[in-house]
């Protein structure tokens, strides 16, 4: 990278300093705070493009560079430096975070124009971007953990941005607590790594992972997976994601497209050598991904809230990425390609949803939409391209990335490959169904607007980012996958698959995936496109009711974890009050009562003492006489 690499720290420093200025400067920065908030991620994106161009000009074996910034923990054998690792995997995330993140920042200028705390909002956004960049650029697990926790803090602040709303405050707290469960797994994994390998740096750990015991490596892999499930909202730590929609819509786009939920995928792919040395943990990654892909798709089918339907979609699509990552080197490139393509079309979908809400006075119920294609043409077209991309319409992004994951899963072989591939194929059908349902209920059919609502197109500061994301939704998949570009580019960072199959849509699996997409869309058309949509949701079947209630994920958490925890806490409190404190209080009362009674003998009167002496003497004489007798 030559002399340009020493400036890579600016990728993180620019948004971090900007966030600090906006949050510490207070109301004095209100007039220009949003401009600073937009400028710094754009500057980081420009630096990222420069570094990417320099990287492309190098041979593959030289596209791996460590930059040590300063010594952080120099304690005996525990030596940790704060350093950056810039390689093909890291630069992919840098461009996604800063590129898509900048478009979301620009969109936020218009979306948050009337919010009196817009400056604080941009401060939180920049803090989020800086933490995510630290996470993906760290050259060791401990610095990665700092970025990991920074992302958790920033997400808490952004989800609860409108903290005066009880629902937003509860959602932020829920996201924070659920993520702490996953963070516990990552922290323990880092501790085991240090005790096993004597370091937390990526290189030495990956080079010596084969020398460690299988049980230890499997434990590390499963703990890393626990951490990944928290950040990426995978089973069983998925419950926070839909509630996170209480935050402003740009937050939803940033969390669901470019930053937080992709962190778990990054962790699994970055720690690939650990999972490859622990086949059971690697298979667990694939199983969790496939199960979550179906779980999220089913939930998406039952949601009338447009943002929650898209949130369920994110859960499902991240499941596909985890499924691909669980395939090992055969799936890493497909996982990253789908992650990048997903960043474009999911950000576009969320910003489109925000545009609709902006025009509908913050209404989120799709049953109160309808017919918006005619009054919001730009939003309709850009949202439509995102829709076509996510369902896998031929020629668009998802067609090349998601379909490639399904084919790679079936090619994995054995019973596991067949079952996981079938789950992924069913997920493709459900994706086409619920996304077509969103499209039909929002933009087609009769107008079901409430009185006093007059939909209109959003301002240009909001529509231009949507147009840019729509272009990415169309072209990103082909750019990343055709010709094996992503496999070749990532080879020096994540390894090469034993056998790479070029994308071919005319294989039996490719045709079956296309058929599943068409079938899902047709079912949605017959149910929601051809028929009038009632303004009040019908009761529906058992599956529909379960989907509306997030497949009872919260009920399970409450029954299995929350209530037993409450009972255990109450039992311990009762034992502490009545047992430990009761014993101490009883002993104290006994000593106090006894001392009080003994104290009564000490009256201070001489006659009392003389009488006591006389009685004592009489008693002694009487005792002596009795002995003689």
């Amino acid at each position: 990278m030559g002399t340009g690499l020493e400036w890579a720290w600016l990728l993180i420093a620019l948004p971090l300093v900007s966030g600090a200025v906006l949050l510490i400067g207070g109301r004095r920065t209100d007039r220009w705070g949003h401009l600073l908030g937009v400028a710094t991620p754009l500057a980081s994106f420009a630096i990222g493009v420069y570094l990417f161009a320099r990287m492309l000009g190098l041979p593959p074996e030289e596209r791996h560079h460590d930059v040590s910034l300063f010594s952080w923990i120099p304690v005996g054998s525990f030596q940790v430096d704060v350093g950056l690792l810039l390689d093909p995997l890291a630069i992919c995330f840098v461009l996604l975070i800063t590129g898509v993140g900048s478009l979301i920042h620009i969109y936020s200028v218009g979306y948050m124009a009337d919010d009196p705390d817009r400056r604080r909002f941009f401060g939180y956004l920049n803090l989020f971007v800086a933490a995510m960049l630290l996470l993906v650029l760290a050259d060791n697990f401990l610095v990665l953990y700092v970025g990991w926790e920074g992302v958790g803090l920033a997400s808490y602040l952004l989800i609860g941005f409108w903290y005066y709303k009880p629902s937003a405050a509860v959602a932020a707290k829920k996201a924070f607590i659920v993520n702490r469960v996953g963070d516990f797994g990552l922290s323990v994994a880092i501790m085991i790594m240090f005790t096993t390998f004597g370091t937390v740096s990526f290189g030495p750990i990956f080079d010596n992972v084969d020398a460690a015991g299988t049980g230890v490596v499997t434990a590390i892999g499963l703990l890393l997976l626990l951490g990944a499930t928290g950040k990426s909202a995978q089973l069983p730590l998925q419950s926070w994601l839909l509630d996170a929609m209480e935050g402003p819509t740009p937050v939803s786009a940033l969390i669901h497209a470019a930053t937080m939920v992709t962190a778990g995928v990054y962790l699994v792919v970055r720690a690939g050598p650990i999972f490859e040395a622990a086949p059971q943990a690697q298979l667990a990654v694939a199983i969790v991904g496939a199960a979550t892909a179906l779980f999220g798709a089913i939930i998406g089918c039952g949601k009338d809230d447009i943002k929650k339907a898209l949130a369920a979609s994110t859960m499902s699509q991240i499941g596909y990425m985890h499924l691909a990552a669980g395939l090992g080197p055969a799936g890493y490139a497909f996982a990253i390609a789908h992650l990048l393509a997903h960043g474009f079309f999911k950000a576009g979908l969320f910003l489109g949803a925000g545009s609709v809400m902006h025009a509908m006075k913050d209404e989120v119920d799709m049953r109160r939409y309808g017919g918006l294609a005619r009054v919001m043409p730009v939003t309709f077209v850009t949202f439509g391209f995102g829709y076509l991309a996510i369902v896998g319409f031929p020629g668009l992004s998802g067609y090349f990335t998601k379909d490639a994951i399904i084919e790679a899963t079936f090619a994995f072989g054995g019973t596991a490959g067949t079952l996981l591939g079938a789950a992924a194929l069913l997920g493709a059908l459900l994706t086409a169904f619920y996304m077509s349902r969103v499209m039909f209920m929002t933009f087609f059919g009769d107008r079901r607007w409430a009185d006093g609502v007059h939909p209109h197109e959003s301002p240009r500061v909001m529509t231009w980012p949507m147009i840019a994301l729509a272009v990415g939704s169309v072209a990103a998949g082909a750019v990343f996958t055709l010709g094996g570009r992503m496999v070749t580019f990532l080879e020096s960072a994540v390894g090469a698959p034993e056998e790479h199959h070029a994308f071919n849509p005319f294989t039996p699996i490719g045709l079956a995936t296309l058929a599943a997409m068409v079938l899902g869309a047709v079912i949605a058309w017959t149910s929601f496109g051809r028929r009038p949509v009632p303004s009040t949701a019908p009761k529906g079947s058992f599956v529909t009711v379960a989907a509306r209630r997030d497949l009872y994920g919260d009920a399970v958490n409450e029954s299995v974890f929350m209530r037993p925890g409450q009972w255990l806490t109450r039992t311990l409190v009762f034992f502490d009050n009545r047992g430990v404190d009761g014993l101490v209080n009883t002993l104290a009362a006994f000593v106090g009562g006894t001392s009080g009674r003994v104290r009564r003998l000490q009256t201070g009167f001489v006659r009392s003492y003389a009488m006591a002496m006389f009685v004592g003497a009489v008693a002694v004489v009487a005792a002596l006489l009795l002995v003689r007798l």
Side-chain angles (χ1 to χ4, degrees), residues 183-207:
D183 296 353
F184 172 77
L186 177 57
S187 63
V188 174
I190 295 172
M191 296 175 196
I192 297 176
M193 288 180 202
F194 177 71
T195 57
T196 304
F197 303 104
T199 181
V200 293
S201 298
F202 293 152
I205 291 175
F206 298 157
D207 292 340

Side-chain angles (χ1 to χ4, degrees), residues 114 214 227 233 283 332 349 363 617:
D114 297 327
T214 303
L283 180 60
Y332 291 152
L349 289 169
E363 178 62 65

Side-chain angles (χ1 to χ4, degrees), residues 257-344:
T259 54
M260 186 168 176
V261 295
T262 64
V265 181
Y266 171 80
L267 179 64
V268 173
V269 175
R270 176 62 77 189
I274 294 176
F275 287 98
E276 291 162 34
Q280 294 86 353
Q282 191 173 54
L283 180 60
V285 173
I287 292 173
V288 167
T292 308
L294 284 178
F295 194 91
I298 294 171
I299 291 175
C301 294
K303 293 297 181 182
D304 292 330
D305 183 319
I306 187 170
K307 288 178 65 177
K308 289 192 175 182
L310 294 178
S313 169
T314 296
M315 188 189 306
S316 180
Q317 297 306 307
I318 299 295
Y320 277 102
M321 299 171 205
H322 275 270
L323 170 58
L327 303 178
Y332 291 152
F334 298 136
I336 300 303
H338 191 53
L339 185 149
L340 296 175
H342 178 265
F344 284 102

Side-chain angles (χ1 to χ4, degrees), residues 160-182:
F161 180 75
W162 289 320
Y163 56 86
Y164 49 83
K165 295 169 54 179
S167 56
V170 171
K173 182 173 67 174
K174 183 177 182 180
F176 191 83
I177 293 173
V178 173
N179 272 274
R180 294 293 74 73
V181 177

Side-chain angles (χ1 to χ4, degrees), residues 128-146:
F128 203 125
V129 170
M132 190 67 191
L133 287 171
L134 178 63
L135 190 159
V136 300
L137 287 170
D139 68 349
N140 63 76
F141 282 101
L142 195 58
V143 176
L144 179 150
Y145 188 77
V146 174

Side-chain angles (χ1 to χ4, degrees), residues 531-557:
R531 301 175 183 175
V533 176
S535 58
T536 302
K539 182 178 180 180
S541 65
F542 168 77
V543 177
T544 302
V545 173
R548 290 172 182 162
R549 298 180 181 178
D550 303 344
L551 294 183
Y552 303 104
D554 287 334
V556 171
N557 287 338

